[in-house]
Amino acid sequence: MISVFEYLLELEKEDDSHLGRILVLLNVFAGIEGKKEIKGLTKLAKLDFLLRYPVYLERAMKKVHQNPERVKIKEYEKKNVESKMVRFKYGPWDFRYRRFINELVGRGLVYIRPEGRSIYLGVTDNGRKIFEALQNDPWHDDIISRAKIINSNFNKSGTNLMKFIYATFPEIGSLKYGTKI
């Protein structure tokens, strides 16, 4: 019999949940017409941090004087260990982001647009179709709702998001680089 801990470790190895979450973020930030982009992996990582850790999102909502109850955290999420990030130079990070983005690009769901030293991440028409299907599945309601909350309250530059996260969650800044959050 597999323990809950072993099951959660296996979930962490499964990329589909991470790919889906990133696709949701990119779609929500793309706007109604689906044309807006997220500038850089740093910004994506900070947005994903808030989406992955609803307890931190709830605290962030309090910091910006918004109703934290909108996050609607379920009891089992309060000590979620399913998707760990690490403390990195520019804040929370997952070393698999490049692989995740490359996989989404390879599947034709996301595109990368380089501009100078920056990259912009956006969704393709196929990525929008997948997102529309996810919106019709109640299983994804919480993550889509939280992504919308993040978009309406934390759509800042990557640098400003990093500063906000370190100011709001000082315990993250005190961790050594590479330490799991």
Side-chain angles (χ1 to χ4, degrees):
M1 175 167 236
I2 188 168
S3 72
V4 171
F5 180 73
E6 291 168 321
Y7 177 73
L8 292 174
L9 282 175
E10 287 303 311
L11 276 178
E12 183 64 12
K13 294 176 190 172
E14 180 61 45
D15 287 351
D16 286 346
S17 63
H18 299 292
L19 297 174
R21 187 183 62 251
I22 292 169
L23 188 61
V24 164
L25 264 175
L26 289 169
N27 270 283
V28 168
F29 276 76
I32 294 171
E33 294 181 21
K35 303 296 183 203
K36 295 180 184 175
E37 302 166 317
I38 290 179
K39 181 182 179 184
L41 285 177
T42 298
K43 180 173 180 175
L44 178 69
K46 304 314 159 264
L47 298 171
D48 189 39
F49 166 75
L50 293 171
L51 191 55
R52 280 172 129 163
Y53 295 93
V55 172
Y56 282 104
L57 176 56
E58 186 178 62
R59 284 177 55 194
M61 291 291 285
K62 289 178 189 174
K63 180 78 172 183
V64 297
H65 309 291
Q66 294 294 319
N67 183 355
E69 292 178 17
R70 290 178 49 211
V71 178
K72 298 178 184 171
I73 299 176
K74 303 209 174 17
E75 191 61 36
Y76 70 86
E77 293 177 302
K78 291 184 178 177
K79 294 188 180 181
N80 187 357
V81 294
E82 150 185 359
S83 56
K84 293 291 182 188
M85 294 180 82
V86 297
R87 196 274 174 138
F88 198 58
K89 184 176 181 180
Y90 302 110
W93 185 256
D94 187 324
F95 288 101
R96 300 169 295 177
Y97 280 127
R98 285 181 177 82
R99 186 180 84 218
F100 294 156
I101 296 302
N102 286 333
E103 189 157 340
L104 288 166
V105 168
R107 293 181 183 190
L109 305 175
V110 168
Y111 66 87
I112 298 172
R113 184 179 60 81
E115 186 176 298
R117 294 179 55 188
S118 299
I119 64 163
Y120 290 80
L121 303 159
V123 293
T124 65
D125 290 339
N126 286 338
R128 293 291 283 178
K129 288 176 188 170
I130 298 293
F131 178 66
E132 288 170 13
L134 293 176
Q135 285 183 303
N136 294 323
D137 182 351
W139 179 260
H140 299 96
D141 286 350
D142 287 339
I143 197 161
I144 292 170
S145 170
R146 290 173 186 163
K148 289 177 180 178
I149 289 169
I150 293 166
N151 185 31
S152 64
N153 291 280
F154 305 102
N155 192 357
K156 309 170 186 247
S157 71
T159 300
N160 285 334
L161 273 173
M162 176 188 67
K163 289 176 184 176
F164 174 80
I165 286 172
Y166 280 138
T168 306
F169 315 112
E171 65 274 18
I172 292 173
S174 66
L175 298 172
K176 287 185 175 184
Y177 291 149
T179 302
K180 288 183 180 178
I181 295 173

